[in-house]
Each structure stands twice: as structure tokens, then as C-alpha cells.
């Protein structure tokens, strides 16, 4: 295994996924103390990232499954999930019998996967030319490094969510931050991609 390719893959992953650590920390904070929440978050992160990599590998090998003009509209996924999370936070805030942390089970796997895929939609544009020029062997190395680093990113997100100072802030403000971040990510994807003529 070529260490140069491993280093390139690690750097590429870090640069294109730095924003995922904040989103993961918010998801882990939302799922804190809820049975199975961490497993669902990690599974969702892997599921969403595997979908991203599958599209990028297919496009890099010449079979484009996701038309380029469709990528900006992926912003609708986190936007819709952010609006849903905001609605739940507002509804739970008005209901004195329930805590403001949201539903009992925490984030669902498919919600995390949808946010991961939508937030990484722009990654496809970066990964495709790399995979196209790396060949099957180099692409395999990139994918293996990416999948290892997804676990590192999940651990970092959980680490930040469990630090006392960060945990207190996320516990107090996480139900507000998560919808704001998701809506912001969705709008950013839509605007940067020129969706709806923006």
C-alpha cells in the first residue's frame, strides 16, 4: 500500500468532511442517554457516506448516476430535517410534560444518513476526478482510508459531545443548534449550487 496515496486520501477526507464533526457532535448530544442512539448515529453516518462514495466511484469509473444539476437540490434534505427538528423543539418547549430534548430515541439512522449524504453532495465533485485518475487500486485505497476515518470522525463527534463544557452547552442549546445547523447546511448547499436560480 502506497503511503503517499494513504496520506492524500486522509487529507482529502479531512478537508471535505470537517463540518461533519459539528453535526455529529449535535447528533450525539441529541442522543445522549438514549439506548442505542450512538449505534444509530454511527450506522447513519456510514450509510450516508457509503452512498456518497458509491456515487463518486461510479461516476469516477464513467457511470454517472447523479446528474450534476441535481446535486444542489440535495440541500432540501437537511433543510427539511432542520425544519422538522425546529418544529419538534418548539412543540416540546410548549409541552410542559416532556423534556425539550426531542423524541425518546434520539436521532434515527436514516435521518443521519440523509444529512450525511446531502451535506457531502459537494464531496462527489471533489472525489470523482480523484477516483477517475487514481484507477481501481488507488480508488480502493481511498475508499478504505475514508471508511476508517468515518469511525474517527464519529469518535471525535462523540468526544466533543461528552466534554463537560461542550455537553452542557449542547444539552442546553442543542435542540436549538441542530435545526439551525441543518437549515443552514441545506440553504448553503442550495445557494452554492445555484438551485432554484439562487
Amino acid at each position: 500500500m502506497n503511503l503517499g496515496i494513504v496520506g492524500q486520501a486522509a487529507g482529502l477526507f479531512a478537508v471535505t468532511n470537517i463540518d461533519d464533526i459539528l453535526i455529529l457532535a449535535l447528533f450525539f448530544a441529541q442522543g445522549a442517554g438514549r439506548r442505542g442512539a450512538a449505534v444509530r448515529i454511527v450506522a447513519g453516518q456510514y450509510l450516508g457516506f457509503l452512498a456518497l462514495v458509491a456515487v463518486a466511484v461510479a461516476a469516477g469509473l464513467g457511470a454517472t448516476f447523479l446528474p450534476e444539476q441535481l446535486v444542489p437540490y440535495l440541500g432540501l434534505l437537511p433543510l427539511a430535517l432542520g425544519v422538522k427538528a425546529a418544529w419538534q423543539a418548539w412543540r416540546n418547549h410548549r409541552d410542559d410534560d416532556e423534556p425539550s430534548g426531542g423524541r425518546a430515541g434520539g436521532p434515527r439512522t436514516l435521518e443521519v444518513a440523509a444529512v450525511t449524504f446531502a451535506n457531502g453532495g459537494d464531496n462527489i465533485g471533489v472525489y470523482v476526478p480523484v477516483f477517475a485518475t487514481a484507477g481501481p487500486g488507488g480508488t480502493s485505497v481511498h475508499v478504505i482510508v475514508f471508511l476508517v476515518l468515518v469511525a474517527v470522525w464519529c469518535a471525535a463527534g462523540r468526544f466533543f459531545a461528552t466534554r463537560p463544557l461542550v455537553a452542557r452547552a449542547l444539552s442546553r442549546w442543542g435542540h436549538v443548534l441542530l435545526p439551525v445547523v441543518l437549515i443552514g447546511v441545506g440553504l448553503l448547499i442550495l445557494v452554492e449550487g445555484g438551485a432554484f436560480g439562487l
Side-chain angles (χ1 to χ4, degrees):
M1 191 178 293
N2 186 334
L3 291 179
I5 295 176
V6 171
Q8 178 189 6
L12 183 63
F13 180 89
V15 167
T16 56
N17 292 289
I18 195 70
D19 52 341
D20 279 354
I21 292 178
L22 172 63
I23 295 170
L24 281 167
L26 289 168
F27 278 136
F28 279 116
Q30 188 183 37
R34 294 178 170 110
R35 185 181 171 130
V39 171
R40 287 191 302 275
I41 294 165
V42 172
Q45 183 71 9
Y46 266 102
L47 186 62
F49 195 79
L50 282 170
L52 274 175
V53 169
V55 170
V57 167
L61 298 176
T64 305
F65 292 123
L66 193 64
E68 190 174 321
Q69 64 270 23
L70 183 63
V71 172
Y73 295 97
L74 291 174
L76 293 173
L77 289 170
L79 182 64
L81 291 171
V83 169
K84 179 184 173 190
W87 170 254
Q88 288 175 335
W90 180 76
R91 189 183 69 208
N92 289 339
H93 177 70
R94 294 191 61 208
D95 186 358
D96 294 331
D97 295 336
E98 285 192 35
S100 61
R103 69 182 164 274
R108 295 185 180 125
T109 301
L110 290 179
E111 290 174 343
V112 176
V115 170
T116 301
F117 186 79
N119 189 38
D122 57 335
N123 295 13
I124 294 171
V126 176
Y127 297 162
V128 168
V130 172
F131 293 164
T133 58
T139 298
S140 299
V141 172
H142 276 82
V143 171
I144 291 167
V145 171
F146 286 179
L147 294 178
V148 169
L149 290 176
V150 167
V152 173
W153 250 234
C154 289
R158 188 163 191 191
F159 173 81
F160 289 122
T162 57
R163 297 304 92 202
L165 182 62
V166 176
R168 278 195 301 275
L170 291 177
S171 173
R172 182 172 177 154
W173 298 105
H175 67 286
V176 174
L177 283 175
L178 183 65
V180 168
V181 169
L182 292 178
I183 290 169
V185 165
L187 291 174
L188 187 66
I189 292 169
L190 290 169
V191 171
E192 283 187 350
F196 305 113
L198 298 173

